[in-house]
Amino acid sequence: MTSVYETVLEQFREVAELVQLEEYLRKRFEKPEREIIVNFPVKMDDGSVEIFTGYRVQHSTLRGPAKGGIRYHPSVNLEEVEALAMLMTWKTAVVNLPYGGAKGGVRCDPKEMSRGELERLTRRYAYELSQVIGPEKDIPAPDVNTNEQIMAWIMDTYSMGKGYTVPGVVTGKPLSIGGSRGRREATGRGCVYIMMEAFKELGINPRNARVVVQGFGKVGRPLVKYASLKGCKVVAVSDSKGGIYNPEGLNFEKLQKTKIEKGSVIYYPDGKVIQHDEVFEVECECFVPAALGNAITEKRAEEMRCRVICEAANGPTTPEGDRVLNEKDVLIIPDILANAGGVTVSYFEWVQSIQEYFWSEEEVVSKLREILVDAYREVAETARKYETNRRMGALALAVNRTAEALRLRGIYP
Ligand code: NAD
């Protein structure tokens, strides 16, 4: 299977050709601005000392400070972090935030580590990065296996070095120390706004439109909630244990209760239990992958019966799956647009942290919707202009915006 790095680079080369990007800009964007590798010791609970490797890659700071998550996983490696950092540059540019793109990670297995070990690892990693991150430089956020607590430790470590509290150094912080209202649900909620725009474009009435969601985690749950509130009929939902299907629709509150009490949606009392693969065969108006990357393979794409795919997960469709779905005329709303609600509210959090002035949830939500609806329209226009699909349209819009920044700023010195 192609790696994330290969896919991201291949897509960039394709779009560079499409927009006729100058040679020097192609070369510039294929490589990140700055890459940091840190090897650092952490005292473990049993008295031993382990050496961990961490990365931070800043792909671009042309449109503003670099922005992107930090992941903790045994498979973290430089190539993957480079690819994800480039994707962040395109994601922030699609929704026109004043940011560039970055990504970071530490190669570790957080599931095997105690809270104390994780705290010491996080603080040392944050210290190692303290010269290159900051509210005006590079602003980390949570990603795979990192959360609000880890952001709080990073903010505290960075602040200790400065001698005063710097809440704007990270986003995705707990609400009580400068987080934003509406941040937790932003990705799922934003994806529903995008889905509503796609339905409008295709003349699909959201009332009773059938929606299938793969994944019921931080993104999947609010997605099911807000799609249901829009009147959609969520007919199938899955998690790591399998899926649940009911053609009459699943009830969000009951799903949530089942997941919390029994650990999986498959124990939902009123539906048919289905296998992971079967979720892809359920007929629907919109399919939402909200779990892992590379979920929509060529084989699954052939079986899918939907009119729209909203990519809530990052990189959920393989290049082969993408080709099959484009041939079937499915409207695919790419990840860099469909899941940009998260980074958008991260941006709002950063603005609030810097200004030390906090917004109501209504304000956050209405500004989020405005930004995403504008981006949806601009991506559609760009795709029409270049006579291409939405994935290439979104990338073209993002690459053009970033390229314009470099042309205007010029080459230093
Ligand atoms: P999460 O860990 O909270 O949830 C993942 C869900 O996927 C869980 O319900 C898990 O049970 C389920 N899952 C795992 N394997 C599965 C399988 N084989 N079939 C069906 N379900 C399976 O993660 P998350 O934060 O919800 O992230 C989901 C995706 O969205 C990831 O690709 C992530 O990169 C992307 N994303 C997340 C955010 C965010 O704000 N959290 C923002 C942008 C993109």
Side-chain angles (χ1 to χ4, degrees):
M1 195 183 283
T2 24
S3 68
V4 197
Y5 179 78
E6 285 164 330
T7 307
V8 169
L9 208 60
E10 193 184 305
Q11 282 175 356
F12 169 67
R13 288 179 179 154
E14 196 179 331
V15 82
E17 200 51 40
L18 183 72
V19 303
Q20 293 291 299
L21 199 64
E22 299 93 306
E23 191 57 30
Y24 81 100
L25 290 172
R26 291 185 201 207
K27 283 190 190 149
R28 163 61 198 84
F29 296 147
E30 279 195 11
K31 293 250 179 274
E33 277 174 23
R34 183 187 256 175
E35 306 183 79
I36 289 125
I37 304 177
V38 289
N39 298 299
F40 56 91
V42 176
K43 278 189 196 144
M44 308 306 279
D45 290 346
D46 65 3
S48 66
V49 174
E50 291 256 355
I51 309 296
F52 290 90
T53 302
Y55 307 90
R56 186 71 182 169
V57 173
Q58 296 168 348
H59 176 262
S60 171
T61 54
L62 278 166
R63 305 180 68 257
K67 182 91 191 84
I70 287 175
R71 60 175 58 179
Y72 287 176
H73 199 271
S75 71
V76 165
N77 64 77
L78 186 60
E79 269 202 346
E80 184 187 78
V81 181
E82 281 175 350
L84 296 169
M86 188 199 278
L87 270 186
M88 283 308 297
T89 300
W90 309 146
K91 193 182 290 187
T92 58
V94 161
V95 281
N96 216 358
L97 305 178
Y99 283 147
K103 203 80 182 191
V106 178
R107 202 183 305 146
C108 64
D109 189 356
K111 297 201 170 87
E112 297 293 314
M113 294 171 72
S114 71
R115 184 183 163 91
E117 288 169 341
L118 268 179
E119 178 173 356
R120 292 192 291 279
L121 174 136
T122 301
R123 286 187 180 279
R124 180 63 187 250
Y125 173 62
Y127 174 79
E128 297 286 338
L129 295 187
S130 56
Q131 297 304 313
V132 296
I133 60 172
E136 299 92 11
K137 292 184 188 172
D138 178 0
I139 308 134
D143 194 71
V144 176
N145 291 331
T146 57
N147 53 27
E148 292 184 359
Q149 177 61 73
I150 287 173
M151 294 308 114
W153 289 329
I154 296 179
M155 173 191 131
D156 187 69
T157 306
Y158 184 83
S159 300
M160 288 300 126
K162 290 282 169 194
Y164 52 90
T165 298
V166 190
V169 66
V170 287
T171 60
K173 300 181 287 293
L175 198 57
S176 54
I177 52 167
S180 176
R181 291 190 173 80
R183 171 66 187 82
R184 277 191 195 156
E185 294 190 324
T187 307
R189 202 170 196 162
C191 196
V192 172
Y193 292 144
I194 294 287
M195 191 194 298
M196 292 304 119
E197 291 307 298
F199 283 174
K200 210 187 288 170
E201 184 181 334
L202 297 185
I204 297 170
N205 183 355
R207 288 217 80 77
N208 294 325
R210 292 161 301 173
V211 174
V212 172
V213 183
Q214 184 215 18
F216 197 62
K218 292 190 285 292
V219 177
R221 284 188 212 199
L223 207 142
V224 171
K225 174 176 157 188
Y226 290 104
S228 304
L229 286 173
K230 294 280 180 197
C232 300
K233 209 195 273 185
V234 179
V235 290
V237 171
S238 68
D239 61 24
S240 57
K241 294 220 169 88
I244 188 86
Y245 168 66
N246 184 336
E248 298 311 314
L250 303 161
N251 174 279
F252 170 72
E253 303 296 339
K254 266 207 262 178
L255 270 174
Q256 167 99 322
K257 192 165 178 282
T258 309
K259 178 85 182 171
I260 293 169
E261 287 176 1
K262 307 212 165 129
S264 170
V265 294
I266 59 168
Y267 304 112
Y268 185 86
D270 191 16
K272 180 174 172 252
V273 176
I274 56 177
Q275 300 295 318
H276 284 128
D277 273 341
E278 290 179 290
V279 175
F280 296 86
E281 296 162 22
V282 176
E283 190 173 356
C284 58
E285 275 63 51
C286 183
F287 184 95
V288 185
L292 311 169
N294 286 333
I296 306 180
T297 56
E298 185 172 18
K299 183 172 169 291
R300 284 173 171 172
E302 276 160 6
E303 285 157 0
M304 287 174 85
R305 291 178 294 161
C306 59
R307 294 181 65 192
V308 180
I309 293 178
C310 273
E311 293 186 339
N314 281 317
T317 312
T318 66
E320 302 78 32
D322 207 42
R323 189 180 38 75
V324 171
L325 292 163
N326 279 313
E327 278 165 13
K328 284 166 81 168
D329 226 12
V330 174
L331 178 62
I332 307 175
I333 311 299
D335 45 8
I336 58 169
L337 172 62
N339 70 31
V343 73
T344 303
V345 176
S346 269
Y347 162 60
F348 297 160
E349 179 179 333
W350 175 75
V351 170
Q352 294 171 78
S353 288
I354 287 173
Q355 298 185 342
E356 296 181 45
Y357 176 74
F358 293 91
W359 309 353
S360 66
E361 185 158 345
E362 291 71 42
E363 201 169 352
V364 169
V365 169
S366 86
K367 287 191 161 85
L368 169 66
R369 186 171 177 280
E370 198 180 310
I371 286 186
L372 292 179
V373 170
D374 276 354
Y376 184 93
R377 190 180 37 76
E378 287 177 309
V379 167
E381 275 167 17
T382 313
R384 266 193 291 278
K385 179 177 155 197
Y386 289 105
E387 297 177 347
T388 185
N389 58 42
R390 297 303 160 95
R391 191 181 308 283
M392 282 298 126
L395 281 171
L397 177 66
V399 169
N400 280 340
R401 274 187 179 144
T402 314
E404 186 61 5
L406 183 51
R407 288 188 204 108
L408 288 169
R409 289 179 60 159
I411 308 290
Y412 177 86

